């Protein structure tokens, strides 16, 4: 039974209101259970599978198996656990799934660590993942740990079933502030990490209060002292937060969390403790956008992005944004930040936020010392030939300046010619947005032009909810 703490900051009426919107329904569990049964039967009755790998097991894993899925997630994760070596699973996995599902269920393939099938039926999805049947979680890698994670969380929730609601609240909170998801696109907190933190701290409010005081490097020992935190710090030197995996203490469950996402959670937690609001939770956020766009430069790309792993496309987009931001800043533009987007099918975009997509019409250049005769002469001739200026500083080095007639769009175009684009890109164009007003893009692209998270504008920015 859940006991409310004396220092509660989440009003009971708000808690009830949020849970009413995010708890999965009996109908949802029933329909997802039916989907799982259809997939399991197709695999268990598959003759090619029995002939190729006689020993195997079909297992429901993930949030649906734990009872911690949000109401808007009509998805199940199904693992086909094969008693075979990892190399054999990777070699045979795709062909076996195709043989078992063909003609029985509609499916398509995705590619991550290894191929897996997604069965799509009546608005629901089942990800079917072949994996070796591991006995010890320390022998598992990547997604192979998922069955162990599922069993761990289920066992803890059987002891404390009231924590299910707190997990749902925390997942909705993370999703509402934009930090939910371990994929490259987000770089945030996975569903499993959210569950582990709630189990460790004992509730939603306790976890938010703890997060409000985090300061990198954060260490949260969820293993009762079994983890070697010093070893983990050496193994994950770039991780701003380390949360040992309860089923494998040598692994950091929070390895996907970027410094940006950690900082966003800390900031949101502090604001929530001061001003709890329904807007923090994804299911209660206003539908109407509340944004104030910044000037800048948009790179619009088109291509066949569905032919490539989503993490590969998102990762390349992020790196492109970083490099364009640095390039424009180095060219003297008042660049502030960047954002990026893809629909994972045909479109991708990067936006560089700027104070203004223009710069001073003079560009300074540092030259060599005068006693470096050849370089000094070339520098002087070049600057004066450009109609510029040359002078000698107190340190004896030449300095110069020249008129600058370039444009932000032109400089971005030149930078793009030297940078790797997301895989699948066929063409691109560069558009300058000179003011804070609309730039003529669809709403989802205009959203890139505001670096302020929507929840923050609604909670503190005076927007009407």
């Amino acid at each position: 039974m859940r006991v409310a703490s004396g220092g509660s900051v989440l009003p009971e009426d708000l808690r009830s209101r949020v849970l009413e919107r995010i708890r999965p329904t009996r109908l949802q569990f029933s329909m997802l259970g039916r989907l799982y049964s259809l997939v399991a039967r197709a695999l268990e009755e598959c003759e090619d599978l029995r002939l190729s790998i006689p020993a195997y097991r079909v297992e429901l894993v993930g949030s649906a198996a734990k009872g911690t899925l949000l109401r808007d997630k009509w998805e199940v994760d199904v693992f086909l656990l094969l008693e075979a070596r990892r190399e054999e699973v990777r070699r045979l996995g795709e062909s076996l799934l195709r043989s078992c599902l063909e003609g029985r269920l509609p499916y398509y393939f995705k590619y991550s660590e290894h191929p897996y099938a997604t069965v799509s039926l009546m608005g629901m999805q089942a990800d079917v993942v072949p994996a070796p049947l591991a006995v010890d979680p320390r022998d598992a890698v990547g997604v192979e740990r998922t069955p162990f994670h599922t069993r761990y969380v289920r066992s803890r929730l059987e002891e404390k079933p009231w924590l299910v609601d707190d997990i749902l609240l925390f997942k909705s909170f993370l999703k509402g502030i934009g930090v939910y998801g371990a994929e490259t696109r987000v770089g945030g907190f996975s569903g499993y990490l959210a569950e582990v933190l709630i189990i460790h701290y004992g509730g939603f409010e306790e976890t938010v209060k703890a997060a409000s005081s985090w300061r990198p490097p954060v260490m949260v020992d969820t293993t009762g002292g079994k983890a070697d935190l010093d070893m983990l710090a050496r193994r994950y030197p770039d991780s701003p937060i380390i949360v040992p995996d309860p089923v494998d203490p040598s692994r950091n469950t929070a390895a996907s969390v970027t410094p940006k996402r950690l900082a966003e959670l800390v900031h949101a937690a502090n604001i929530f403790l001061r001003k709890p609001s329904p807007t923090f939770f994804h299911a209660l956020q206003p539908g109407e956008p509340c944004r104030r766009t910044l000037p800048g430069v948009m790179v619009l790309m088109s291509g066949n992005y569905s032919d490539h792993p989503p993490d590969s496309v998102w990762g390349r987009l992020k790196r492109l944004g970083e490099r364009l931001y640095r390039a424009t800043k180095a060219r003297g533009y008042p660049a502030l930040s960047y954002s990026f987007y893809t629909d994972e099918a045909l479109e991708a975009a990067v936006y560089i936020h700027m104070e203004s997509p223009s710069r001073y019409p003079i560009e300074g250049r540092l030259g060599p010392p005068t006693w470096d005769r050849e370089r000094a002469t070339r520098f002087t001739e070049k600057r004066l030939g450009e109609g510029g200026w040359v002078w000698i500083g107190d340190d004896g080095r030449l300095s110069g300046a020249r008129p600058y007639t370039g444009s932000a769009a032109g400089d971005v175009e030149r930078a793009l010619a030297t940078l790797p684009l997301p895989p699948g890109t066929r063409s691109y164009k560069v558009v300058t947005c000179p003011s804070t007003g609309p730039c003529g893009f669809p709403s989802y692209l205009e959203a890139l032009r505001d670096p302020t998270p929507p929840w923050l504008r609604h909670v503190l920015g005076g927007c009407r909810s």
Side-chain angles (χ1 to χ4, degrees), residues 429-444:
K429 68 176 180 177
V430 180
V431 179
T432 300
C433 298
S435 71
T436 58
C439 205
F441 301 123
S443 179
Y444 61 91

PDB file of all heavy atoms in Angstrom, residues 429-444:
ATOM      1  N   LYS A 429      18.652  22.059 -49.389  1.00  0.00           N
ATOM      2  CA  LYS A 429      18.663  23.488 -49.668  1.00  0.00           C
ATOM      3  C   LYS A 429      18.771  24.240 -48.357  1.00  0.00           C
ATOM      4  O   LYS A 429      18.402  23.733 -47.290  1.00  0.00           O
ATOM      5  CB  LYS A 429      17.422  23.921 -50.443  1.00  0.00           C
ATOM      6  CG  LYS A 429      16.115  23.841 -49.676  1.00  0.00           C
ATOM      7  CD  LYS A 429      14.977  24.398 -50.524  1.00  0.00           C
ATOM      8  CE  LYS A 429      13.639  24.328 -49.772  1.00  0.00           C
ATOM      9  NZ  LYS A 429      12.536  24.932 -50.584  1.00  0.00           N
ATOM     10  N   VAL A 430      19.299  25.453 -48.431  1.00  0.00           N
ATOM     11  CA  VAL A 430      19.543  26.274 -47.246  1.00  0.00           C
ATOM     12  C   VAL A 430      18.630  27.491 -47.297  1.00  0.00           C
ATOM     13  O   VAL A 430      18.547  28.174 -48.321  1.00  0.00           O
ATOM     14  CB  VAL A 430      21.019  26.708 -47.173  1.00  0.00           C
ATOM     15  CG1 VAL A 430      21.268  27.570 -45.944  1.00  0.00           C
ATOM     16  CG2 VAL A 430      21.936  25.487 -47.169  1.00  0.00           C
ATOM     17  N   VAL A 431      17.936  27.743 -46.189  1.00  0.00           N
ATOM     18  CA  VAL A 431      16.993  28.861 -46.108  1.00  0.00           C
ATOM     19  C   VAL A 431      17.369  29.747 -44.930  1.00  0.00           C
ATOM     20  O   VAL A 431      17.588  29.241 -43.818  1.00  0.00           O
ATOM     21  CB  VAL A 431      15.543  28.359 -45.946  1.00  0.00           C
ATOM     22  CG1 VAL A 431      14.574  29.538 -45.846  1.00  0.00           C
ATOM     23  CG2 VAL A 431      15.159  27.441 -47.095  1.00  0.00           C
ATOM     24  N   THR A 432      17.428  31.041 -45.149  1.00  0.00           N
ATOM     25  CA  THR A 432      17.710  31.990 -44.076  1.00  0.00           C
ATOM     26  C   THR A 432      16.408  32.520 -43.490  1.00  0.00           C
ATOM     27  O   THR A 432      15.500  32.918 -44.232  1.00  0.00           O
ATOM     28  CB  THR A 432      18.545  33.170 -44.601  1.00  0.00           C
ATOM     29  OG1 THR A 432      19.775  32.666 -45.127  1.00  0.00           O
ATOM     30  CG2 THR A 432      18.848  34.165 -43.484  1.00  0.00           C
ATOM     31  N   CYS A 433      16.317  32.526 -42.166  1.00  0.00           N
ATOM     32  CA  CYS A 433      15.175  33.116 -41.460  1.00  0.00           C
ATOM     33  C   CYS A 433      15.687  34.373 -40.757  1.00  0.00           C
ATOM     34  O   CYS A 433      16.354  34.285 -39.720  1.00  0.00           O
ATOM     35  CB  CYS A 433      14.592  32.134 -40.450  1.00  0.00           C
ATOM     36  SG  CYS A 433      13.940  30.627 -41.206  1.00  0.00           S
ATOM     37  N   PRO A 434      15.416  35.555 -41.319  1.00  0.00           N
ATOM     38  CA  PRO A 434      16.073  36.770 -40.843  1.00  0.00           C
ATOM     39  C   PRO A 434      15.520  37.351 -39.548  1.00  0.00           C
ATOM     40  O   PRO A 434      16.153  38.218 -38.955  1.00  0.00           O
ATOM     41  CB  PRO A 434      15.855  37.746 -41.993  1.00  0.00           C
ATOM     42  CG  PRO A 434      14.601  37.277 -42.648  1.00  0.00           C
ATOM     43  CD  PRO A 434      14.586  35.790 -42.501  1.00  0.00           C
ATOM     44  N   SER A 435      14.346  36.894 -39.109  1.00  0.00           N
ATOM     45  CA  SER A 435      13.725  37.526 -37.941  1.00  0.00           C
ATOM     46  C   SER A 435      13.097  36.480 -37.046  1.00  0.00           C
ATOM     47  O   SER A 435      13.168  35.276 -37.304  1.00  0.00           O
ATOM     48  CB  SER A 435      12.654  38.523 -38.402  1.00  0.00           C
ATOM     49  OG  SER A 435      11.532  37.831 -38.917  1.00  0.00           O
ATOM     50  N   THR A 436      12.455  36.963 -35.972  1.00  0.00           N
ATOM     51  CA  THR A 436      11.763  36.054 -35.057  1.00  0.00           C
ATOM     52  C   THR A 436      10.374  35.682 -35.566  1.00  0.00           C
ATOM     53  O   THR A 436       9.678  34.885 -34.931  1.00  0.00           O
ATOM     54  CB  THR A 436      11.631  36.698 -33.667  1.00  0.00           C
ATOM     55  OG1 THR A 436      10.930  37.932 -33.795  1.00  0.00           O
ATOM     56  CG2 THR A 436      13.001  36.949 -33.053  1.00  0.00           C
ATOM     57  N   GLY A 437       9.973  36.239 -36.675  1.00  0.00           N
ATOM     58  CA  GLY A 437       8.650  35.947 -37.233  1.00  0.00           C
ATOM     59  C   GLY A 437       8.627  34.623 -37.967  1.00  0.00           C
ATOM     60  O   GLY A 437       9.654  33.948 -38.126  1.00  0.00           O
ATOM     61  N   PRO A 438       7.444  34.214 -38.455  1.00  0.00           N
ATOM     62  CA  PRO A 438       7.325  32.954 -39.201  1.00  0.00           C
ATOM     63  C   PRO A 438       8.231  32.948 -40.427  1.00  0.00           C
ATOM     64  O   PRO A 438       8.476  33.978 -41.045  1.00  0.00           O
ATOM     65  CB  PRO A 438       5.846  32.924 -39.603  1.00  0.00           C
ATOM     66  CG  PRO A 438       5.160  33.823 -38.626  1.00  0.00           C
ATOM     67  CD  PRO A 438       6.149  34.895 -38.289  1.00  0.00           C
ATOM     68  N   CYS A 439       8.706  31.749 -40.764  1.00  0.00           N
ATOM     69  CA  CYS A 439       9.616  31.626 -41.903  1.00  0.00           C
ATOM     70  C   CYS A 439       8.987  30.790 -43.022  1.00  0.00           C
ATOM     71  O   CYS A 439       9.668  30.418 -43.978  1.00  0.00           O
ATOM     72  CB  CYS A 439      10.933  31.005 -41.444  1.00  0.00           C
ATOM     73  SG  CYS A 439      12.356  31.417 -42.492  1.00  0.00           S
ATOM     74  N   GLY A 440       7.694  30.484 -42.898  1.00  0.00           N
ATOM     75  CA  GLY A 440       6.999  29.779 -43.964  1.00  0.00           C
ATOM     76  C   GLY A 440       7.120  28.280 -43.927  1.00  0.00           C
ATOM     77  O   GLY A 440       6.756  27.607 -44.904  1.00  0.00           O
ATOM     78  N   PHE A 441       7.624  27.703 -42.820  1.00  0.00           N
ATOM     79  CA  PHE A 441       7.758  26.255 -42.714  1.00  0.00           C
ATOM     80  C   PHE A 441       6.495  25.645 -42.107  1.00  0.00           C
ATOM     81  O   PHE A 441       5.740  26.325 -41.413  1.00  0.00           O
ATOM     82  CB  PHE A 441       8.953  25.887 -41.827  1.00  0.00           C
ATOM     83  CG  PHE A 441      10.268  26.411 -42.319  1.00  0.00           C
ATOM     84  CD1 PHE A 441      11.048  27.216 -41.507  1.00  0.00           C
ATOM     85  CD2 PHE A 441      10.732  26.102 -43.585  1.00  0.00           C
ATOM     86  CE1 PHE A 441      12.271  27.702 -41.938  1.00  0.00           C
ATOM     87  CE2 PHE A 441      11.946  26.577 -44.028  1.00  0.00           C
ATOM     88  CZ  PHE A 441      12.721  27.385 -43.212  1.00  0.00           C
ATOM     89  N   PRO A 442       6.284  24.349 -42.303  1.00  0.00           N
ATOM     90  CA  PRO A 442       5.222  23.655 -41.555  1.00  0.00           C
ATOM     91  C   PRO A 442       5.497  23.754 -40.057  1.00  0.00           C
ATOM     92  O   PRO A 442       6.639  23.981 -39.632  1.00  0.00           O
ATOM     93  CB  PRO A 442       5.332  22.203 -42.040  1.00  0.00           C
ATOM     94  CG  PRO A 442       6.081  22.276 -43.332  1.00  0.00           C
ATOM     95  CD  PRO A 442       6.985  23.448 -43.239  1.00  0.00           C
ATOM     96  N   SER A 443       4.459  23.532 -39.261  1.00  0.00           N
ATOM     97  CA  SER A 443       4.566  23.718 -37.814  1.00  0.00           C
ATOM     98  C   SER A 443       5.689  22.900 -37.191  1.00  0.00           C
ATOM     99  O   SER A 443       6.410  23.379 -36.311  1.00  0.00           O
ATOM    100  CB  SER A 443       3.232  23.363 -37.147  1.00  0.00           C
ATOM    101  OG  SER A 443       3.307  23.512 -35.757  1.00  0.00           O
ATOM    102  N   TYR A 444       5.872  21.636 -37.636  1.00  0.00           N
ATOM    103  CA  TYR A 444       6.886  20.788 -37.019  1.00  0.00           C
ATOM    104  C   TYR A 444       8.305  21.283 -37.304  1.00  0.00           C
ATOM    105  O   TYR A 444       9.228  21.008 -36.534  1.00  0.00           O
ATOM    106  CB  TYR A 444       6.717  19.330 -37.469  1.00  0.00           C
ATOM    107  CG  TYR A 444       6.867  19.088 -38.957  1.00  0.00           C
ATOM    108  CD1 TYR A 444       8.098  18.773 -39.515  1.00  0.00           C
ATOM    109  CD2 TYR A 444       5.761  19.175 -39.805  1.00  0.00           C
ATOM    110  CE1 TYR A 444       8.231  18.552 -40.872  1.00  0.00           C
ATOM    111  CE2 TYR A 444       5.887  18.950 -41.155  1.00  0.00           C
ATOM    112  CZ  TYR A 444       7.118  18.644 -41.689  1.00  0.00           C
ATOM    113  OH  TYR A 444       7.244  18.428 -43.048  1.00  0.00           O
TER     114      TYR A 444
END
